[in-house]
Amino acid sequence: MQDKIATRVPVGVGGLPGPVEYLVHESVLRSDEEFPCAGDAEALQFCRAVAHQLSTEFGITPGEAAARIVRHWCEPGDDGRTPRTWIVGSDIAYHEDPDFWAKHIYYGTHWWPPGDTPAPLPSP
């Protein structure tokens, strides 16, 4: 596995070293049929939590919730076979909670003026 995982230290604030980033070779990631972009068990649980939030908050079926997540994160990238986004490790997706992502995935945005509710994106 040593040749499948690399690390790098990017430049951080004020030119100081930033947090260590782990670069994982694609062959190590385990795509799931339900959510192809979930590269590990934690990501799969996260996607399922977002799907649950979508279903309960917006009254859509679990199948539609999963399809919306797939459309948002998991559609194939340029190579046509792997997801354009992988959620794995300390992914940026975890910086927001499932409620945030449910709104963002359902409406296509996470912000709108007070008192206004945007129209949902069409169902996939």
Side-chain angles (χ1 to χ4, degrees):
M1 290 283 284
Q2 283 184 317
D3 63 332
K4 303 292 184 195
I5 300 174
T7 60
R8 71 176 173 201
V9 179
V11 176
V13 177
L16 297 172
V20 174
E21 293 179 346
Y22 292 87
L23 309 170
V24 179
H25 190 271
E26 182 181 312
S27 64
V28 177
L29 301 175
R30 286 179 273 171
S31 183
D32 182 88
E33 289 181 25
E34 181 183 5
F35 299 108
C37 56
D40 60 18
E42 181 181 11
L44 178 58
Q45 290 303 94
F46 186 74
C47 288
R48 286 179 176 163
V50 174
H52 177 75
Q53 186 68 27
L54 277 162
S55 293
T56 57
E57 186 164 342
F58 301 111
I60 60 177
T61 67
E64 181 181 339
R68 286 177 178 271
I69 292 168
V70 167
R71 178 177 65 193
H72 184 78
W73 277 322
C74 306
E75 288 184 342
D78 293 337
D79 66 6
R81 62 178 185 82
T82 57
R84 64 182 168 80
T85 301
W86 282 102
I87 302 172
V88 66
S90 59
D91 197 275
I92 190 81
Y94 299 136
H95 290 245
E96 299 293 347
D97 64 13
D99 181 61
F100 169 91
W101 285 117
K103 287 179 176 70
H104 187 76
I105 290 169
Y106 190 73
Y107 292 118
T109 183
H110 62 274
W111 180 89
W112 53 87
D116 191 18
T117 301
L121 293 172
S123 180

